Amino acid sequence: MLNKLTTMPSSANKLNAIYCKTAVGENEIVTRQHALLSKPRQALILIDGKKSYAQLNQLLPTIELDRLINELLQLGLIRDANATLPPQSSVTNHANCITANNTKASTIPLDIERLNTIKQLMIDSSKTLLGIFANTLIEKINTIDDAAQLSPAIAQWNLSLRESKNGQLHAEQYLEAIKSLMK
């Protein structure tokens, strides 16, 4: 049975629920220790302690967000950002939310796995938000071989999202997810 820190909120509070990564979740992005599949990994990347369930549902419209959040909760990769931790509990520092306000992320060199993760997030978001208009952009993203080629591609990708009808609402959130992957 899941404890209070790892359960989904009631349906009335569900849309306003905010989740954040634990230290274990932050580590998962770097190490891939849990070998998450693409969609749970994408959800983990987008969970930032700021976006509500409703906002995440807009970013991940083609997947079952409830299932993904439950999976990430059970693995200890995320937690409810508003849940209070019991004092002296068995929940250690790894359950604290990792946010830009309380932790400075160390800069990690961009390895091939991170590069591929960033490329995949760019491709997935382009397909979802740009549709058939993403084909040329996706071809360009697929040709990226190193971090030097990544920066101009990110700029073009972000601009394309911002100029599209469906992408303009989500462009900044996806860009923040990319930035967190580059740390």
Side-chain angles (χ1 to χ4, degrees):
M1 180 175 196
L2 297 174
N3 65 33
K4 183 180 178 186
L5 295 176
T6 60
T7 57
M8 292 280 294
S10 66
S11 59
N13 296 326
K14 182 178 176 177
L15 294 177
N16 295 323
I18 296 176
Y19 297 94
C20 61
K21 292 177 194 74
T22 62
V24 175
E26 287 287 334
N27 190 50
E28 173 61 22
I29 291 174
V30 176
T31 65
R32 295 178 175 248
Q33 180 179 0
H34 291 89
L36 294 175
L37 297 176
S38 174
K39 293 300 179 179
R41 183 169 171 77
Q42 184 178 7
L44 178 63
I45 290 166
L46 291 174
I47 290 172
D48 62 1
K50 297 174 188 170
K51 292 179 200 70
S52 68
Y53 177 94
Q55 291 169 317
L56 289 170
N57 197 41
Q58 291 175 354
L59 293 172
L60 303 168
T62 60
I63 57 177
E64 293 181 21
L65 189 55
D66 286 346
R67 180 184 57 79
L68 293 174
I69 287 177
N70 277 326
E71 178 181 342
L72 296 173
L73 285 167
Q74 289 176 2
L75 291 171
L77 302 175
I78 63 170
R79 75 170 189 87
D80 182 339
N82 296 319
T84 55
L85 297 175
Q88 302 298 324
S89 71
S90 61
V91 180
T92 58
N93 289 339
H94 78 303
N96 293 328
C97 286
I98 305 299
T99 64
N101 296 337
N102 65 10
T103 302
K104 234 181 191 179
S106 58
T107 304
I108 300 169
L110 194 60
D111 59 28
I112 191 69
E113 284 185 33
R114 282 176 172 259
L115 180 64
N116 288 335
T117 299
I118 291 168
K119 287 171 52 175
Q120 192 59 53
L121 181 59
M122 291 169 63
I123 290 168
D124 290 346
S125 60
S126 296
K127 286 178 182 175
T128 301
L129 299 171
L130 302 175
I132 61 170
F133 300 108
N135 292 342
T136 304
L137 181 59
I138 290 170
E139 287 176 18
K140 181 174 182 167
I141 293 168
N142 279 324
T143 64
I144 298 170
D145 294 328
D146 57 34
Q149 297 172 338
L150 187 60
S151 185
I154 289 173
Q156 182 182 358
W157 162 79
N158 188 254
L159 183 61
S160 296
L161 291 183
R162 288 179 187 278
E163 290 179 346
S164 73
K165 181 180 176 182
N166 295 329
Q168 60 186 327
L169 297 173
H170 309 295
E172 186 63 31
Q173 294 168 335
Y174 275 112
L175 182 59
E176 289 303 316
I178 294 292
K179 286 179 182 178
S180 75
L181 283 170
M182 294 178 77
K183 290 181 184 175

